Amino acid sequence: MAASATRFELTDRDGNHVLSKQEISHFRKARRSQQKSSSFNRADINNDNIIDRDEFTQYDFRRHSSDHSATASRPSSRHKKRANRRKQRNSDRYQGLDGNKDGQITLPEYQSAAEQLFLKLDSNSDGELTRGENRMRKV
C-alpha cells in the first residue's frame, strides 16, 4: 500500500491529489528513461519486439515465483487449484493484451491495454484518477 501511495504522490506533479492522463503519461516516460527496461522488454525474452504466449507465460511465472518457493515437491490440491487459476488468468490476460488476436503482443497493443486500464479505473470519466479511483497495477 505504501508503494502505491508513493507512486501516486510521484505521479501527482501539481499536488492536487488527482492524476491526469498527462501526469500519468509523464510519469511513465520518466520511469522508462530511468529503468533499464520496461515490463514489455522484460517479458520479451528473445528481444524480437513481440511477446508470444510462451514468453508471456514465463514472464508471469517469474513475477509470481515467490508463490512457488514454499511449495513442496508434491503440491497439495490447494496449490494445484491456485496454479490452475493462475494459468486461466494468464490466458485471459494474454488474450486481452493481444488486440488483433494474432497470437502475438506488440508494444502498441501493450500500450493500448494500459490506456484501457486507465479508462476502466477512471470511474467518473473525468480523465483523472483520484486516490479513491487509483488501483494502479502493472498491465
Side-chain angles (χ1 to χ4, degrees), residues 20-88:
S20 67
K21 284 184 183 181
Q22 184 179 17
E23 286 173 320
I24 290 174
S25 176
H26 183 270
F27 176 79
R28 284 183 179 152
K29 286 178 186 175
R31 195 174 80 184
R32 271 190 221 120
S33 69
Q34 292 172 352
Q35 289 180 334
K36 191 170 187 176
S37 64
S38 70
S39 58
F40 180 89
N41 291 332
R42 288 190 302 271
D44 182 20
I45 296 167
N46 64 5
N47 296 315
D48 64 353
N49 296 315
I50 294 171
I51 301 173
D52 63 31
R53 189 173 292 276
D54 289 338
E55 288 173 315
F56 190 79
T57 300
Q58 288 177 39
Y59 177 66
D60 185 64
F61 179 81
R62 287 192 318 261
R63 286 179 54 219
H64 296 94
S65 61
S66 62
D67 292 349
H68 302 285
S69 61
T71 304
S73 60
R74 289 180 35 189
S76 68
S77 62
R78 183 181 64 143
H79 288 105
K80 288 178 184 178
K81 287 178 184 177
R82 184 184 306 160
N84 287 335
R85 285 192 309 267
R86 181 174 296 117
K87 284 179 187 177
Q88 184 59 50

Side-chain angles (χ1 to χ4, degrees), residues 85-103:
R85 285 192 309 267
R86 181 174 296 117
K87 284 179 187 177
Q88 184 59 50
R89 282 192 311 268
N90 178 291
S91 178
D92 292 347
R93 282 195 307 266
Y94 189 85
Q95 290 174 8
L97 290 168
D98 183 14
N100 62 3
K101 308 300 179 212
D102 66 351

Side-chain angles (χ1 to χ4, degrees), residues 106-121:
T106 62
L107 183 57
E109 287 173 320
Y110 195 81
Q111 291 169 330
S112 175
E115 172 71 17
Q116 293 304 313
L117 178 60
F118 178 90
L119 295 173
K120 181 179 178 181
L121 295 176

